[in-house]
Amino acid sequence: MNQTTAFDPREFRATLGTFTTGVTIITARGADRQPVGVTANSFNSVSLDPPMVLWSLAKSSRSLEAFQQSGHFAVHILAAGQEELSNRFARSGADKFSGVDVGEAAGGAPLLPHCSARLQCRTSFVYEGGDHLIFVGEVVAFDRSGLPPLVFQAGKYAVATRKVTALAPAGGLDANWSEDHLPYLLGRAYFQVYFRIREQVRADGLNDDEYFILSTLAVRDGLTQGEIEAGLSHAGCNCGFPVLAGLRQRGLLRGEDGPGDLRWFLSDEGRRRTLHLIAAAKDIESSVLDVLGEWDAVALKNLLKQLVLSTDPGLPDLWNPSSPRSATAGA
Ligand SMILES: Cc1cc2nc3c(=O)[nH]c(=O)nc-3n(C[C@H](O)[C@H](O)[C@H](O)COP(=O)(O)O)c2cc1C
């Protein structure tokens, strides 16, 4: 471990940043009745009996005087989806409350919605703390929603996830190679989640390729064979003409001459059956995510999205029609 004796402020900040915190917005109403609010991660608990919390505010903050005058403050422990609100309240002086549905906390402090938790406080003490003031408050009311919290780590937003004990090594294979090997984990997780959806697909007389084609067209109708193939290349799907023609023959698709090529659409029957399968797939997703819990569901999706983005070889983005890549799908 590096021991730093000379005081480099950037190093000091970075060192403090290794302490992972939640993110709060602290609000109050000044003597002029104007609302103030700042994003703060210096929040911490102090005492259970009496219930007390603290946070510190830079003396350079424009809201300093209002917090000193107010006598009350409200702490909002932000939820994972409130990153934008956090950024808004981290901008000095801006009109931070416009468009926000604000309630009223003790002492008139603005109360923000959709947080993980909120604490309404009466200011008990204000201490000098170098270039900050430390506000200690007695909690007079609190509530929590169960929403997963936003996390701040090393200067970046993050999400919280629980640690799990490792999977048992798969029989016969070298444990280091198998249980901790990313493609193995991804493949096994996919298989274990998808096989339940596959049962529904089979019960509807379809195979995986047909289901992938139908659900792709449910997102975006009127694609050419080339666009469908490009959009489903990651799934190793056979979307050749015989498969499309087979679906047409069974009344699930129709083909229309379009610019450059035949374009494929879901028939009414095809749409009805596909939406039914997608609803079943969503139910299965919900039951899997229920077992994980909301915090880990947010964390898992966040990590998978990061992995998808960081390894993307340039696949067409059929899900997002405004993406420039979707327009060239199959080209
Ligand atoms: C994640 C995060 C945590 C922050 N924590 C604090 C804090 O604990 N105390 C503080 O004074 N400023 C903190 N800030 C900076 C303030 O939110 C920022 O200076 C704010 O714009 C001050 O607003 P004002 O000048 O309008 O009062 C933090 C910013 C971010 C993004």
Side-chain angles (χ1 to χ4, degrees):
M1 187 176 270
N2 283 344
Q3 207 171 344
T4 309
T5 42
F7 240 87
D8 173 349
R10 280 191 24 206
E11 263 306 304
F12 182 52
R13 261 182 108 98
T15 301
L16 292 179
T18 60
F19 184 59
T20 304
T21 66
V23 182
T24 71
I25 290 174
I26 318 242
T27 60
R29 205 171 283 274
D32 59 1
R33 307 306 296 152
Q34 287 306 306
V36 291
V38 294
T39 300
N41 68 337
S42 52
F43 169 77
N44 220 321
S45 56
V46 173
S47 158
L48 290 177
D49 188 15
M52 293 175 99
V53 297
L54 67 73
W55 67 289
S56 62
L57 180 64
K59 288 180 180 169
S60 58
S61 160
R62 291 205 203 180
S63 320
L64 186 80
E65 205 178 309
F67 277 109
Q68 284 176 303
Q69 295 165 342
S70 166
H72 285 82
F73 59 86
V75 180
H76 304 81
I77 298 177
L78 298 189
Q82 291 184 303
E83 188 177 328
E84 217 175 283
L85 200 66
S86 168
N87 287 335
R88 183 200 284 219
F89 278 82
R91 261 178 240 121
S92 190
D95 181 8
K96 302 176 184 180
F97 292 91
S98 81
V100 183
D101 185 15
V102 175
E104 187 165 312
L111 202 56
L112 308 173
H114 314 307
C115 303
S116 282
R118 304 183 296 192
L119 302 121
Q120 302 178 33
C121 307
R122 185 186 313 116
T123 308
S124 306
F125 306 102
V126 182
Y127 297 110
E128 284 284 330
D131 57 7
H132 281 57
L133 285 185
I134 302 160
F135 288 83
V136 179
E138 180 163 353
V139 180
V140 294
F142 61 90
D143 62 281
R144 67 190 160 102
S145 66
L147 286 171
L150 185 61
V151 170
F152 201 62
Q153 198 338 277
K156 293 203 162 65
Y157 294 113
V159 289
T161 182
R162 290 168 301 178
K163 281 200 80 177
V164 287
T165 46
L167 280 176
L173 288 172
D174 174 72
N176 290 333
W177 161 246
S178 60
E179 68 169 353
D180 214 31
H181 183 53
L182 182 63
Y184 163 76
L185 288 171
L186 288 172
R188 180 163 171 176
Y190 174 75
F191 175 79
Q192 289 178 199
V193 172
Y194 184 68
F195 92 95
R196 292 172 57 190
I197 299 173
R198 180 176 284 144
E199 280 173 1
Q200 303 278 327
V201 169
R202 293 282 184 280
D204 202 23
L206 297 164
N207 64 34
D208 291 355
D209 293 342
E210 291 166 336
Y211 169 62
F212 292 152
I213 293 168
L214 293 173
S215 47
T216 297
L217 289 172
V219 176
R220 252 186 101 194
D221 238 353
L223 298 175
T224 64
Q225 181 187 325
E227 286 170 338
I228 297 170
E229 279 171 342
L232 287 173
S233 55
H234 67 277
C237 175
N238 170 12
C239 322
F241 184 77
V243 182
L244 294 167
L247 287 167
R248 178 170 59 184
Q249 205 177 12
R250 282 144 67 194
L252 300 176
L253 290 189
R254 57 190 172 77
E256 277 180 20
D257 277 328
D261 211 343
L262 192 62
R263 298 202 163 261
W264 294 93
F265 296 82
L266 291 175
S267 66
D268 289 346
E269 172 65 3
R271 184 167 299 279
R272 190 190 63 73
R273 291 206 2 218
T274 307
L275 293 182
H276 183 76
L277 282 173
I278 289 174
K282 285 191 168 222
D283 280 350
I284 291 166
E285 181 201 21
S286 298
S287 67
V288 170
L289 295 183
D290 276 354
V291 175
L292 273 185
E294 203 173 346
W295 292 30
D296 284 349
V298 168
L300 176 65
K301 286 186 176 183
N302 177 58
L303 283 177
L304 288 174
K305 283 175 190 170
Q306 272 190 50
L307 188 64
V308 167
L309 281 175
S310 64
T311 55
D312 182 8
L315 293 181
D317 186 1
L318 290 181
W319 311 100
N320 176 11
S322 60
S323 152
R325 270 201 259 146
S326 68
T328 56

